[in-house]
Amino acid sequence: GSGRKFDPHPIRGCRFDPALYFQGDGFDWRWHPTREKEFNAVMAAKGKKLHTFYHKCKQDWENALFRPCQITEHDWVTAHESHSIQPRAVISNQYTLRPGGKPQEEGDEEQDHRWLHKWFASPEVQEMGYVKIKIAMPYDLQNEVIAAEQDVSRQCAHVVGGGSNPFNDDQCRMQHFFQPRINLQRELLKLLLPMAGWDAVVAMHVRTGFADFQSNFVRHVMPDVEPEER
């Protein structure tokens, strides 16, 4: 969560911060400068120094299955450098293109989707104790998140009941990551209690676009406004 208050500005405005309404199982999503400063002081007291790294993938469409991704120190790789794994990369997804292969053809590329999981679990990173990853674009973690979900799904299925129910995995994950805060529970009860006597409930989910492409939406509906590059 950003920790910012509601701001109606069409570009920089924060109109919905999930951390205001949900918390995790034993952790809080709200992360803002004040909290970071407090956390830095706690870690410093424990003798843990902040280590900052930069994550970047080759620019591609947001659901690209194969593309080089790497982590560097001091700064991100340039757009040109992101087309291949650089020698200065601390770690990478080991993206390779087979000789003569074409990136758009399935099977011509290889990479390790669990590279970040392995790196975070490595003795080197565990010894650091306090690591910050700056991400160039949020959807650059698409494949890594899917790999993590697969791992969590297997664990949840084992705990919830062997995975016989296809909804078990989602219930397990959502219960861990998104638990409504007291203020949200209070407001939800006003809606849920009257529904107790209903015979059925029908819900419709409508997607209006990828949130991270908000600037494109602003350009479309407000051509006179030039969104800030972020």
Side-chain angles (χ1 to χ4, degrees), residues 161-190:
S164 58
N165 186 331
F167 296 103
N168 283 348
D169 296 345
D170 290 336
Q171 292 174 358
C172 181
R173 289 196 297 271
M174 295 300 289
Q175 178 65 18
H176 176 72
F177 290 113
F178 297 104
Q179 299 183 2
R181 296 183 180 277
I182 296 298
N183 60 332
L184 180 57
Q185 293 180 33
R186 187 181 302 114
E187 296 302 316
L188 284 175
L189 282 175
K190 296 178 183 178

Side-chain angles (χ1 to χ4, degrees), residues 192-206:
L192 297 177
L193 289 178
M195 297 167 57
W198 293 11
D199 294 329
V201 177
V202 178
M204 179 180 294
H205 177 195
V206 179

